[in-house]
Amino acid sequence: MKFKVLLFFLLQMWLICGQAAESPSVLSFAQEQEIAVLRAQLESIEKYQDQILSVVLWSLGAVIAMSLGLAAFNWFANKVSYERDIQAIKQETQAGVSVLEAQLKSEIGQETQKITSEIGAREESMKIAIIKELSKRIDAQTRVIDKQAKEILDLQFENVEREAEDSVAKKRYEWAIYKYCDLLNISVKQGSYSYQAGEILDKISQILDKPEVSLSSDNVTKAIETFSNLPPSHLTAAQNLIPKIKKAHGS
Protein backbone atom coordinates (compact mmCIF):
# COMPACT_ATOMS: atom_id res chain seq x y z
CA MET A 1 0.00 0.00 0.00
CA LYS A 2 2.85 2.45 0.76
CA PHE A 3 4.40 1.73 -2.64
CA LYS A 4 1.08 2.43 -4.39
CA VAL A 5 0.66 5.78 -2.62
CA LEU A 6 4.23 6.75 -3.42
CA LEU A 7 3.80 5.94 -7.12
CA PHE A 8 0.60 7.94 -7.30
CA PHE A 9 2.29 10.90 -5.63
CA LEU A 10 5.19 10.83 -8.15
CA LEU A 11 2.73 10.72 -11.06
CA GLN A 12 0.90 13.78 -9.75
CA MET A 13 4.16 15.67 -9.35
CA TRP A 14 5.19 14.76 -12.85
CA LEU A 15 1.88 16.08 -14.25
CA ILE A 16 2.22 19.31 -12.35
CA CYS A 17 5.73 19.86 -13.61
CA GLY A 18 4.67 19.22 -17.25
CA GLN A 19 1.84 21.67 -17.00
CA ALA A 20 4.17 24.28 -15.64
CA ALA A 21 6.59 23.85 -18.55
CA GLU A 22 4.02 24.02 -21.30
CA SER A 23 0.78 25.80 -21.78
CA PRO A 24 -1.73 25.03 -19.05
CA SER A 25 -4.64 25.00 -21.43
CA VAL A 26 -3.57 22.37 -24.06
CA LEU A 27 -1.93 18.87 -23.52
CA SER A 28 -0.24 17.10 -26.35
CA PHE A 29 -1.60 13.84 -27.70
CA ALA A 30 1.63 12.02 -26.76
CA GLN A 31 1.34 13.09 -23.16
CA GLU A 32 -2.21 11.83 -22.95
CA GLN A 33 -1.15 8.46 -24.28
CA GLU A 34 1.68 8.35 -21.83
CA ILE A 35 -0.70 9.14 -18.96
CA ALA A 36 -3.02 6.41 -20.16
CA VAL A 37 -0.12 3.94 -20.19
CA LEU A 38 0.91 5.01 -16.70
CA ARG A 39 -2.63 4.57 -15.48
CA ALA A 40 -2.78 1.07 -16.99
CA GLN A 41 0.52 0.23 -15.31
CA LEU A 42 -0.80 1.60 -12.03
CA GLU A 43 -3.91 -0.57 -12.28
CA SER A 44 -1.74 -3.62 -13.07
CA ILE A 45 0.44 -2.83 -10.09
CA GLU A 46 -2.65 -2.51 -7.89
CA LYS A 47 -3.95 -5.92 -9.07
CA TYR A 48 -0.53 -7.45 -8.53
CA GLN A 49 -0.37 -6.01 -5.04
CA ASP A 50 -3.88 -7.35 -4.30
CA GLN A 51 -2.81 -10.80 -5.47
CA ILE A 52 0.34 -10.64 -3.33
CA LEU A 53 -1.74 -9.46 -0.38
CA SER A 54 -4.17 -12.36 -0.90
CA VAL A 55 -1.27 -14.84 -1.02
CA VAL A 56 0.24 -13.30 2.11
CA LEU A 57 -3.10 -13.45 3.93
CA TRP A 58 -3.67 -17.05 2.81
CA SER A 59 -0.13 -18.00 3.89
CA LEU A 60 -0.64 -16.22 7.21
CA GLY A 61 -3.92 -18.10 7.72
CA ALA A 62 -2.22 -21.40 6.88
CA VAL A 63 0.59 -20.62 9.33
CA ILE A 64 -1.92 -19.70 12.02
CA ALA A 65 -3.91 -22.88 11.32
CA MET A 66 -0.73 -24.96 11.45
CA SER A 67 0.27 -23.23 14.68
CA LEU A 68 -3.14 -23.93 16.19
CA GLY A 69 -2.91 -27.53 15.00
CA LEU A 70 0.55 -27.93 16.50
CA ALA A 71 -0.63 -26.31 19.72
CA ALA A 72 -3.63 -28.65 19.88
CA PHE A 73 -1.40 -31.64 19.16
CA ASN A 74 1.07 -30.55 21.83
CA TRP A 75 -1.80 -30.02 24.29
CA PHE A 76 -3.23 -33.47 23.52
CA ALA A 77 0.21 -35.10 23.77
CA ASN A 78 0.93 -33.27 27.02
CA LYS A 79 -2.48 -34.28 28.38
CA VAL A 80 -1.91 -37.94 27.53
CA SER A 81 1.60 -37.79 28.95
CA TYR A 82 0.28 -36.03 32.06
CA GLU A 83 -2.39 -38.70 32.55
CA ARG A 84 0.22 -41.40 32.07
CA ASP A 85 2.48 -39.69 34.60
CA ILE A 86 -0.39 -39.45 37.08
CA GLN A 87 -1.23 -43.13 36.56
CA ALA A 88 2.42 -44.08 36.99
CA ILE A 89 2.65 -41.98 40.15
CA LYS A 90 -0.50 -43.63 41.50
CA GLN A 91 0.88 -47.08 40.76
CA GLU A 92 4.22 -46.21 42.38
CA THR A 93 2.41 -44.75 45.39
CA GLN A 94 0.20 -47.83 45.74
CA ALA A 95 3.23 -50.10 45.43
CA GLY A 96 5.10 -48.05 48.03
CA VAL A 97 2.08 -48.14 50.36
CA SER A 98 1.79 -51.92 49.92
CA VAL A 99 5.48 -52.41 50.67
CA LEU A 100 5.27 -50.08 53.67
CA GLU A 101 2.13 -51.85 54.92
CA ALA A 102 3.85 -55.23 54.61
CA GLN A 103 6.89 -53.92 56.47
CA LEU A 104 4.70 -52.44 59.20
CA LYS A 105 2.77 -55.71 59.57
CA SER A 106 6.01 -57.65 59.78
CA GLU A 107 7.48 -55.27 62.35
CA ILE A 108 4.25 -55.26 64.36
CA GLY A 109 4.16 -59.06 64.27
CA GLN A 110 7.77 -59.28 65.43
CA GLU A 111 7.21 -56.75 68.21
CA THR A 112 4.01 -58.53 69.27
CA GLN A 113 5.80 -61.87 69.37
CA LYS A 114 8.65 -60.30 71.31
CA ILE A 115 6.29 -58.68 73.81
CA THR A 116 4.34 -61.95 74.13
CA SER A 117 7.56 -63.85 74.80
CA GLU A 118 8.63 -61.28 77.37
CA ILE A 119 5.23 -61.39 79.03
CA GLY A 120 5.34 -65.21 79.04
CA ALA A 121 8.82 -65.18 80.54
CA ARG A 122 7.75 -62.65 83.15
CA GLU A 123 4.62 -64.63 83.93
CA GLU A 124 6.69 -67.79 84.28
CA SER A 125 9.15 -65.98 86.53
CA MET A 126 6.28 -64.58 88.56
CA LYS A 127 4.71 -68.04 88.82
CA ILE A 128 7.98 -69.54 90.01
CA ALA A 129 8.48 -66.71 92.50
CA ILE A 130 4.89 -67.02 93.74
CA ILE A 131 5.20 -70.81 94.04
CA LYS A 132 8.44 -70.45 95.97
CA GLU A 133 6.90 -67.84 98.24
CA LEU A 134 3.81 -69.96 98.78
CA SER A 135 5.97 -73.00 99.43
CA LYS A 136 7.91 -71.07 102.04
CA ARG A 137 4.71 -69.88 103.66
CA ILE A 138 3.20 -73.37 103.51
CA ASP A 139 6.35 -74.86 105.01
CA ALA A 140 6.33 -72.23 107.72
CA GLN A 141 2.65 -72.83 108.44
CA THR A 142 3.23 -76.60 108.35
CA ARG A 143 6.01 -76.26 110.88
CA VAL A 144 3.78 -74.13 113.04
CA ILE A 145 0.93 -76.64 112.74
CA ASP A 146 3.27 -79.57 113.40
CA LYS A 147 4.64 -77.76 116.41
CA GLN A 148 1.17 -77.03 117.71
CA ALA A 149 0.07 -80.62 117.02
CA LYS A 150 3.14 -81.92 118.90
CA GLU A 151 2.38 -79.62 121.79
CA ILE A 152 -1.23 -80.82 121.81
CA LEU A 153 -0.09 -84.45 121.70
CA ASP A 154 2.39 -83.78 124.50
CA LEU A 155 -0.37 -82.26 126.60
CA GLN A 156 -2.68 -85.16 125.79
CA PHE A 157 0.08 -87.65 126.68
CA GLU A 158 0.71 -85.94 130.02
CA ASN A 159 -2.99 -85.82 130.87
CA VAL A 160 -3.68 -89.43 129.83
CA GLU A 161 -0.55 -90.64 131.65
CA ARG A 162 -1.67 -88.81 134.78
CA GLU A 163 -5.15 -90.36 134.54
CA ALA A 164 -3.64 -93.84 134.06
CA GLU A 165 -1.34 -93.46 137.06
CA ASP A 166 -4.20 -92.10 139.18
CA SER A 167 -6.32 -95.11 138.16
CA VAL A 168 -3.53 -97.49 139.21
CA ALA A 169 -3.20 -95.69 142.50
CA LYS A 170 -6.94 -96.04 143.03
CA LYS A 171 -6.82 -99.71 141.92
CA ARG A 172 -9.07 -99.05 138.96
CA TYR A 173 -7.00 -101.41 136.85
CA GLU A 174 -9.40 -101.83 133.95
CA TRP A 175 -9.57 -98.08 133.41
CA ALA A 176 -5.81 -97.83 133.85
CA ILE A 177 -5.23 -100.40 131.03
CA TYR A 178 -7.70 -98.47 128.86
CA LYS A 179 -5.75 -95.24 129.41
CA TYR A 180 -2.41 -96.93 128.80
CA CYS A 181 -3.77 -98.12 125.44
CA ASP A 182 -4.59 -94.47 124.68
CA LEU A 183 -1.02 -93.60 125.61
CA LEU A 184 0.24 -96.20 123.12
CA ASN A 185 -1.85 -94.60 120.34
CA ILE A 186 -0.57 -91.13 121.29
CA SER A 187 3.04 -92.32 121.31
CA VAL A 188 2.55 -93.78 117.81
CA LYS A 189 1.25 -90.40 116.61
CA GLN A 190 4.17 -88.62 118.28
CA GLY A 191 6.69 -90.92 116.65
CA SER A 192 8.43 -91.38 119.99
CA TYR A 193 7.31 -94.97 120.42
CA SER A 194 10.88 -96.24 120.35
CA TYR A 195 11.23 -95.82 124.09
CA GLN A 196 7.77 -94.81 125.39
CA ALA A 197 5.90 -97.79 123.95
CA GLY A 198 8.18 -100.24 125.72
CA GLU A 199 7.64 -98.49 129.06
CA ILE A 200 3.85 -98.43 128.57
CA LEU A 201 3.78 -102.15 127.70
CA ASP A 202 5.78 -102.93 130.89
CA LYS A 203 3.23 -101.00 132.98
CA ILE A 204 0.32 -102.87 131.33
CA SER A 205 2.12 -106.18 132.03
CA GLN A 206 2.56 -105.23 135.68
CA ILE A 207 -1.15 -104.48 136.00
CA LEU A 208 -2.15 -107.76 134.29
CA ASP A 209 0.01 -109.70 136.77
CA LYS A 210 -2.30 -108.62 139.54
CA PRO A 211 -4.82 -111.39 140.29
CA GLU A 212 -7.69 -109.02 140.97
CA VAL A 213 -7.60 -107.51 137.48
CA SER A 214 -10.72 -108.07 135.36
CA LEU A 215 -11.25 -106.72 131.83
CA SER A 216 -14.44 -106.25 129.84
CA SER A 217 -14.87 -107.31 126.22
CA ASP A 218 -14.58 -103.68 125.01
CA ASN A 219 -11.34 -103.27 126.93
CA VAL A 220 -9.92 -106.48 125.47
CA THR A 221 -10.89 -105.44 121.93
CA LYS A 222 -9.33 -102.00 122.39
CA ALA A 223 -6.08 -103.52 123.72
CA ILE A 224 -5.72 -105.99 120.82
CA GLU A 225 -6.41 -103.24 118.19
CA THR A 226 -3.89 -100.94 119.87
CA PHE A 227 -1.20 -103.66 119.91
CA SER A 228 -1.73 -104.30 116.17
CA ASN A 229 -0.86 -100.64 115.40
CA LEU A 230 2.50 -100.76 117.16
CA PRO A 231 5.76 -100.81 115.12
CA PRO A 232 7.40 -104.19 114.42
CA SER A 233 10.02 -103.61 117.13
CA HIS A 234 7.30 -103.83 119.84
CA LEU A 235 4.95 -106.41 118.31
CA THR A 236 6.60 -109.36 120.06
CA ALA A 237 6.24 -107.78 123.49
CA ALA A 238 2.65 -106.83 122.68
CA GLN A 239 1.79 -110.35 121.46
CA ASN A 240 3.11 -111.77 124.76
CA LEU A 241 0.53 -109.67 126.64
CA ILE A 242 -2.48 -111.03 124.74
CA PRO A 243 -2.72 -114.29 126.78
CA LYS A 244 -2.65 -112.23 129.98
CA ILE A 245 -5.40 -109.96 128.65
CA LYS A 246 -7.60 -112.95 127.75
CA LYS A 247 -6.95 -114.42 131.17
CA ALA A 248 -8.04 -111.16 132.81
CA HIS A 249 -11.18 -111.31 130.67
CA GLY A 250 -11.80 -114.85 131.87
CA SER A 251 -11.79 -116.41 128.44
Side-chain angles (χ1 to χ4, degrees):
M1 291 297 293
K2 291 181 179 180
F3 179 75
K4 182 178 179 180
V5 172
L6 180 61
L7 185 61
F8 180 76
F9 178 76
L10 292 175
L11 180 60
Q12 292 292 331
M13 290 295 296
W14 183 78
L15 292 174
I16 293 171
C17 292
Q19 289 177 359
E22 297 179 1
S23 176
S25 58
V26 181
L27 293 175
S28 63
F29 178 76
Q31 289 178 343
E32 289 179 357
Q33 288 181 346
E34 186 176 0
I35 291 171
V37 170
L38 290 174
R39 286 180 178 178
Q41 291 179 352
L42 181 60
E43 289 177 357
S44 298
I45 291 170
E46 287 179 354
K47 291 180 180 180
Y48 181 73
Q49 287 181 349
D50 290 338
Q51 291 177 356
I52 292 174
L53 182 60
S54 298
V55 172
V56 170
L57 291 176
W58 182 87
S59 300
L60 182 61
V63 171
I64 292 173
M66 291 177 65
S67 299
L68 291 176
L70 289 174
F73 177 77
N74 289 331
W75 175 81
F76 179 76
N78 291 330
K79 181 180 179 182
V80 173
S81 177
Y82 178 72
E83 291 178 353
R84 289 178 180 175
D85 292 339
I86 291 176
Q87 189 66 25
I89 292 171
K90 285 182 178 179
Q91 292 177 355
E92 291 178 358
T93 304
Q94 291 177 354
V97 170
S98 299
V99 172
L100 181 59
E101 184 178 359
Q103 291 178 353
L104 289 175
K105 287 182 178 180
S106 177
E107 292 178 359
I108 291 171
Q110 293 176 358
E111 291 296 327
T112 302
Q113 186 176 4
K114 182 178 178 182
I115 292 171
T116 303
S117 300
E118 292 178 355
I119 291 173
R122 291 181 181 178
E123 287 181 352
E124 189 65 24
S125 300
M126 290 176 65
K127 286 180 181 179
I128 294 172
I130 290 171
I131 291 171
K132 288 182 178 179
E133 184 65 23
L134 289 176
S135 298
K136 291 180 181 178
R137 293 184 181 182
I138 291 171
D139 291 341
Q141 292 295 327
T142 302
R143 287 192 295 269
V144 171
I145 292 171
D146 291 341
K147 182 179 179 181
Q148 292 176 351
K150 185 177 181 302
E151 292 176 353
I152 292 171
L153 289 174
D154 291 340
L155 291 174
Q156 288 178 351
F157 189 89
E158 292 176 0
N159 291 331
V160 173
E161 187 179 22
R162 189 182 302 111
E163 290 179 4
E165 291 176 353
D166 290 342
S167 298
V168 173
K170 294 178 181 179
K171 296 183 179 181
R172 297 174 60 190
Y173 299 120
E174 184 179 6
W175 186 247
I177 291 174
Y178 188 89
K179 287 299 178 181
Y180 278 124
C181 288
D182 288 340
L183 279 178
L184 287 172
N185 291 324
I186 294 172
S187 66
V188 172
K189 292 178 181 179
Q190 287 177 325
S192 59
Y193 44 75
S194 60
Y195 69 94
Q196 289 179 344
E199 295 177 356
I200 297 169
L201 289 173
D202 290 339
K203 291 179 180 180
I204 292 173
S205 179
Q206 292 173 5
I207 295 172
L208 291 174
D209 289 339
K210 298 180 182 295
E212 66 271 23
V213 175
S214 177
L215 299 177
S216 64
S217 298
D218 292 338
N219 211 339
V220 172
T221 303
K222 181 177 178 62
I224 294 173
E225 290 179 354
T226 302
F227 293 163
S228 65
N229 293 325
L230 291 174
S233 59
H234 295 286
L235 282 178
T236 302
Q239 292 294 330
N240 293 331
L241 292 177
I242 292 177
K244 292 182 179 182
I245 291 173
K246 291 181 178 180
K247 181 180 179 181
H249 180 254
S251 57

